[in-house]
């Protein structure tokens, strides 16, 4: 129903952002990959959207790129994969990385995604391989094989969390991480000079060890 929205960002609190479109504030849930691309956006921005209708709610999801939206819409068709897990996948790795891991049958890499156990990872690899093939053949989605992962570096901090640290932990928990795990991830990369989005980005990169 809503293909995209163009307006001004008035709030960014991962995984939620609020977009002011001609005086109407739209609440949009987005993966961290989208937040990274919007980090320095102060003027008008365009968000590609997908409306997800459930019996108890109508949710709007937003993406900075068409490849993210295509992968999200494909993921939620997989049995056992909901919108929350799909956001977690797009937050934990790029579209290119996910497609590469699926194509290489790298189940271990997929289990590093929050909330994805071995059985779910195996199901993702099998079902997404078949679902992605026609999309790639049509040219709508492309990827380059990757190997290994990035390692985030940073400074450990005191146990008392700052406002930025707590916000980063809240964002990670919204993506499926348990509180102790989220706190450990944030503390391992936190630096006072980093923005909230950068702290979350480094914390998520750390799971690719």
């Amino acid at each position: 129903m809503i293909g995209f929205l163009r307006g001004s960002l008035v709030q960014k609190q991962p995984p939620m952002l609020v977009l002011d479109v001609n005086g109407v504030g739209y609440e949009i849930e987005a993966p961290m990959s989208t937040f990274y691309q919007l980090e320095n956006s102060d003027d008008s921005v365009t968000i590609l959207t997908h409306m997800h209708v459930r019996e108890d709610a109508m949710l709007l999801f937003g993406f900075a790129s068409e490849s993210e939206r295509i992968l999200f819409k494909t993921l939620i068709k997989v049995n056992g994969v909901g919108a929350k897990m799909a956001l977690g996948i797009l937050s934990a790795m790029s579209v290119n990385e996910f497609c590469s891991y699926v194509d290489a049958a790298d189940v271990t890499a997929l289990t590093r995604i929050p909330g994805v156990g071995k059985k779910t990872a195996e199901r993702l690899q099998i079902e997404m391989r078949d679902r992605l093939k026609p999309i790639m053949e049509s040219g709508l989605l492309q990827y380059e094989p990757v190997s290994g992962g990035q390692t985030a570096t940073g400074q450990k901090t005191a146990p008392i969390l700052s406002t930025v640290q707590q916000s980063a932990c809240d964002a990670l928990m919204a993506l499926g991480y348990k509180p102790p795990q989220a706190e450990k991830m944030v503390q391992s990369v936190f630096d006072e000079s980093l923005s909230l989005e950068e702290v979350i980005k480094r914390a998520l990169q750390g799971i690719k060890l």
Side-chain angles (χ1 to χ4, degrees), residues 1-3 5 15-17 26-30 47-63 69 72-73 76 82-87 174:
M1 294 178 63
I2 302 176
L5 292 170
M16 183 72 69
L17 58 84
Y26 289 87
E27 292 186 345
I28 305 169
E29 292 190 50
I47 306 293
L48 303 176
T49 58
H50 171 72
M51 179 172 284
H52 192 65
V53 180
R54 302 188 322 212
E55 292 183 0
D56 58 342
M58 294 179 64
L59 304 174
L60 197 60
F61 296 93
F63 311 92
R69 180 166 65 173
F72 177 86
K73 293 171 70 173
I76 59 177
K84 183 176 182 178
M85 183 179 291
L87 285 184

Side-chain angles (χ1 to χ4, degrees), residues 4-204:
F4 71 90
L5 292 170
R6 182 179 294 116
S8 301
L9 283 172
V10 296
Q11 183 178 339
K12 291 193 296 180
Q13 181 59 53
M16 183 72 69
L17 58 84
V18 178
L19 193 67
D20 182 341
V21 181
N22 297 323
V24 179
Y26 289 87
E27 292 186 345
I28 305 169
E29 292 190 50
M32 288 311 304
S33 53
T34 292
F35 276 86
Y36 303 150
Q37 297 183 57
L38 298 175
E39 186 173 4
N40 299 314
S41 299
D42 297 321
D43 300 325
S44 177
V45 298
T46 298
I47 306 293
L48 303 176
T49 58
H50 171 72
M51 179 172 284
H52 192 65
V53 180
R54 302 188 322 212
E55 292 183 0
D56 58 342
M58 294 179 64
L59 304 174
L60 197 60
F61 296 93
F63 311 92
S65 69
E66 183 61 26
S67 61
E68 290 176 336
R69 180 166 65 173
I70 289 174
L71 182 55
F72 177 86
K73 293 171 70 173
T74 307
L75 281 167
I76 59 177
K77 295 178 182 178
V78 176
N79 183 37
V81 177
K84 183 176 182 178
M85 183 179 291
L87 285 184
I89 291 171
L90 285 167
S91 295
M93 58 185 62
S94 67
V95 173
N96 188 80
E97 287 173 321
F98 179 80
C99 293
S100 181
Y101 293 144
V102 167
D103 189 48
D106 191 342
V107 174
T108 300
L110 296 178
T111 60
R112 301 190 184 112
I113 301 168
V116 176
K118 184 178 180 181
K119 289 185 178 180
T120 302
E122 292 173 343
R123 186 186 311 120
L124 274 171
Q125 192 278 318
I126 295 172
E127 292 196 31
M128 287 300 292
R129 179 187 57 194
D130 295 335
R131 293 178 185 276
L132 289 174
K133 185 176 180 180
I135 299 175
M136 291 180 177
E137 289 177 347
S138 69
L140 293 175
L141 195 63
Q142 300 293 332
Y143 83 97
E144 294 293 334
V146 299
S147 60
Q150 290 181 298
T151 301
T153 60
Q155 301 176 355
K156 292 187 178 181
T157 62
I160 299 177
L161 300 182
S162 67
T163 301
V164 172
Q165 286 175 303
Q166 187 59 61
S167 296
C169 287
D170 291 342
L172 291 174
M173 287 186 287
L175 293 171
Y177 291 95
K178 296 184 182 301
Q181 184 182 17
E183 184 174 331
K184 182 178 180 180
M185 291 167 64
V186 170
Q187 289 182 349
S188 69
V189 302
F190 183 72
D191 187 287
E192 292 182 356
S193 65
L194 300 175
S195 67
L196 172 60
E197 287 84 358
E198 188 62 27
V199 171
I200 299 171
K201 181 178 183 179
R202 292 192 180 197
L204 287 168

